[in-house]
């Protein structure tokens, strides 16, 4: 007899066939013995398609949101959690009786993952990229008292260009977090244009990407003796936090 799925969850993004979330939650539902539960990828060409998605599936209970829609999804929501409002980015959507509520569990995942690797000399950080994920990273650094600068390809106030990353800057900023999609499967040889020869064993390189396990960004840092960390544990933690939110009263 066919199981009717009445508890549907999923991931909203663009070009997300590489995502681990679908298999992660499928395994989770199996371990918990939950029948009638599904988690699937909703690959949207445009964020405008979000409205149709949530309107047509009456059994949707929760969604995760990834690149490039963490900010763009906000106008489609009825309410934001306090931290999500402060950050200005959403990666978790809960379906409630009063409408759609947005949360940011990237904050929790990133903080729990990076904290054990921070040392006394990790006082300043460079955040590579300025998208939705970078906002959660910046929020965590504020909480931890770590000064930071965003690095981008375009010039803006209080923002560095990749060309600005000289020896003095690289010595000053010992934590580097890649929030760009550069290096994601299948384009695994791509990496942010930073001066890797100026990386030392005092640096900590964190990549939000988890596929491949060791990106070109992390490989180059490792060659220079830096501490490296990928985004897999962060993703697992934020997924578990999302699950708790979806199942909370």
């Amino acid at each position: 007899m066919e199981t009717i799925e009445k508890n549907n969850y999923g991931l909203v993004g663009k070009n997300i066939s590489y995502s681990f979330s679908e298999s992660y939650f499928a395994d989770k539902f199996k371990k918990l013995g939950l029948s009638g539960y599904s988690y699937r990828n909703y690959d949207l060409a445009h964020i405008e398609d979000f409205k149709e998605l949530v309107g047509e599936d009456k059994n949707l209970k929760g969604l995760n949101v990834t690149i490039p829609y963490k900010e763009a999804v906000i106008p489609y929501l009825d309410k934001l959690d306090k931290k999500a409002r402060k950050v200005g980015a959403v990666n978790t959507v809960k379906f409630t009786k009063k409408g759609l509520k947005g949360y940011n569990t990237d904050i929790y995942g990133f903080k729990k993952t990076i904290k054990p690797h921070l040392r006394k000399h990790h006082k300043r950080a460079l955040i590579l990229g300025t998208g939705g994920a970078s906002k959660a990273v910046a929020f965590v650094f504020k909480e931890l008292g770590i000064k930071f600068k965003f690095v981008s390809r375009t010039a803006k106030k209080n923002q560095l260009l990749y060309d600005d990353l000289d020896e003095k800057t690289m010595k000053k900023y010992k934590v580097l977090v890649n929030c760009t999609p550069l290096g994601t499967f299948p384009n695994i040889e791509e990496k942010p244009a930073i001066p890797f020869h100026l990386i030392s064993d005092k640096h900590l390189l964190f990549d939000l990407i988890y596929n491949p396990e060791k990106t070109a960004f992390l490989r180059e840092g490792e060659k220079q003796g830096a501490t490296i960390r990928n985004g897999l544990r962060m993703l697992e933690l934020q997924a578990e936090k999302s699950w708790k939110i979806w199942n909370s009263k």
Side-chain angles (χ1 to χ4, degrees), residues 55-71:
E56 66 185 16
D57 189 346
K58 301 302 177 189
N59 292 322
L60 268 176
K61 299 291 191 290
L63 292 167
N64 288 124
V65 184
T66 189
I67 291 172
Y69 299 136
K70 291 186 181 188
E71 296 162 290

Side-chain angles (χ1 to χ4, degrees), residues 127-170:
I127 302 172
L128 313 180
T130 55
S134 70
K135 291 187 169 186
V137 169
F139 185 89
V140 170
F141 283 147
K142 279 180 191 171
E143 285 191 330
L144 295 173
I146 293 173
K147 293 178 180 178
F148 61 87
K149 288 273 188 188
F150 288 103
V151 184
S152 177
R153 290 173 297 180
T154 52
K156 279 186 184 176
K157 194 180 177 184
N158 297 323
Q159 197 166 283
L160 298 173
L161 291 168
Y162 284 97
D163 289 344
D164 296 330
L165 303 183
D166 55 16
E167 190 172 357
K168 185 182 175 184
T169 305
M170 296 299 285

Side-chain angles (χ1 to χ4, degrees), residues 42 191 211 225:
Y42 296 104
K191 56 185 181 289
N211 184 8

Side-chain angles (χ1 to χ4, degrees), residues 147-208:
K147 293 178 180 178
F148 61 87
K149 288 273 188 188
F150 288 103
V151 184
S152 177
R153 290 173 297 180
T154 52
K156 279 186 184 176
K157 194 180 177 184
N158 297 323
Q159 197 166 283
L160 298 173
L161 291 168
Y162 284 97
D163 289 344
D164 296 330
L165 303 183
D166 55 16
E167 190 172 357
K168 185 182 175 184
T169 305
M170 296 299 285
K171 273 186 177 178
K172 193 174 177 182
Y173 293 86
K174 293 289 198 304
V175 181
L176 282 79
V177 183
N178 179 33
C179 298
T180 78
L182 293 172
T184 308
F185 181 84
N187 305 312
I188 59 171
E189 293 309 319
E190 291 184 350
K191 56 185 181 289
I194 67 167
F196 286 100
H197 66 284
L198 297 176
I199 298 288
S200 71
D201 59 0
K202 299 288 183 189
H203 281 86
L204 167 61
L205 270 62
F206 192 110
D207 203 326
L208 267 56

Side-chain angles (χ1 to χ4, degrees), residues 3-240:
T3 303
I4 299 170
E5 292 166 348
K6 290 194 173 179
N7 296 281
N8 296 339
Y9 301 86
L11 176 69
V12 171
K14 192 173 186 178
N15 303 324
I16 51 173
S17 57
Y18 66 86
S19 172
F20 105 132
S21 298
E22 199 169 16
S23 59
Y24 183 84
F25 277 102
D27 289 344
K28 185 174 185 64
F29 298 153
K30 197 174 178 181
K31 284 173 189 170
L32 293 174
L34 297 172
S35 61
Y37 280 69
S38 76
Y39 189 104
R40 62 195 66 169
N41 288 341
Y42 296 104
D43 209 312
L44 305 185
H46 308 283
I47 190 59
E48 289 79 12
D49 300 330
F50 181 82
K51 197 172 183 179
E52 187 182 343
L53 166 67
V54 299
E56 66 185 16
D57 189 346
K58 301 302 177 189
N59 292 322
L60 268 176
K61 299 291 191 290
L63 292 167
N64 288 124
V65 184
T66 189
I67 291 172
Y69 299 136
K70 291 186 181 188
E71 296 162 290
V73 75
I74 291 175
Y76 296 88
L77 307 179
D78 301 292
K79 196 176 179 183
L80 290 183
D81 170 70
K82 190 166 66 177
K83 283 189 176 181
R85 190 183 296 112
K86 279 184 181 178
V87 171
V90 162
N91 78 317
T92 301
V93 177
K94 183 178 181 178
F95 287 62
T96 75
K97 288 176 183 176
K98 293 182 179 178
L100 304 179
K101 186 172 181 180
Y103 296 81
N104 192 306
T105 65
D106 283 336
I107 297 166
Y108 173 80
F110 179 66
K111 190 173 186 178
K112 292 278 280 188
T113 308
I114 198 167
K115 214 174 169 184
H117 302 282
L118 294 172
R119 302 293 177 259
K120 283 183 179 179
H121 60 274
H122 292 144
K123 293 175 181 175
R124 290 182 176 83
L126 295 175
I127 302 172
L128 313 180
T130 55
S134 70
K135 291 187 169 186
V137 169
F139 185 89
V140 170
F141 283 147
K142 279 180 191 171
E143 285 191 330
L144 295 173
I146 293 173
K147 293 178 180 178
F148 61 87
K149 288 273 188 188
F150 288 103
V151 184
S152 177
R153 290 173 297 180
T154 52
K156 279 186 184 176
K157 194 180 177 184
N158 297 323
Q159 197 166 283
L160 298 173
L161 291 168
Y162 284 97
D163 289 344
D164 296 330
L165 303 183
D166 55 16
E167 190 172 357
K168 185 182 175 184
T169 305
M170 296 299 285
K171 273 186 177 178
K172 193 174 177 182
Y173 293 86
K174 293 289 198 304
V175 181
L176 282 79
V177 183
N178 179 33
C179 298
T180 78
L182 293 172
T184 308
F185 181 84
N187 305 312
I188 59 171
E189 293 309 319
E190 291 184 350
K191 56 185 181 289
I194 67 167
F196 286 100
H197 66 284
L198 297 176
I199 298 288
S200 71
D201 59 0
K202 299 288 183 189
H203 281 86
L204 167 61
L205 270 62
F206 192 110
D207 203 326
L208 267 56
I209 295 168
Y210 57 89
N211 184 8
E213 186 180 333
K214 199 180 283 184
T215 58
F217 170 73
L218 294 181
R219 290 200 314 267
E220 291 295 330
E222 189 176 45
K223 282 181 196 172
Q224 299 296 118
T227 301
I228 62 169
R229 185 77 185 182
N230 71 17
L232 183 59
R233 184 60 185 147
M234 173 185 168
L235 202 70
E236 290 170 348
L237 288 166
Q238 69 83 14
E240 289 303 317

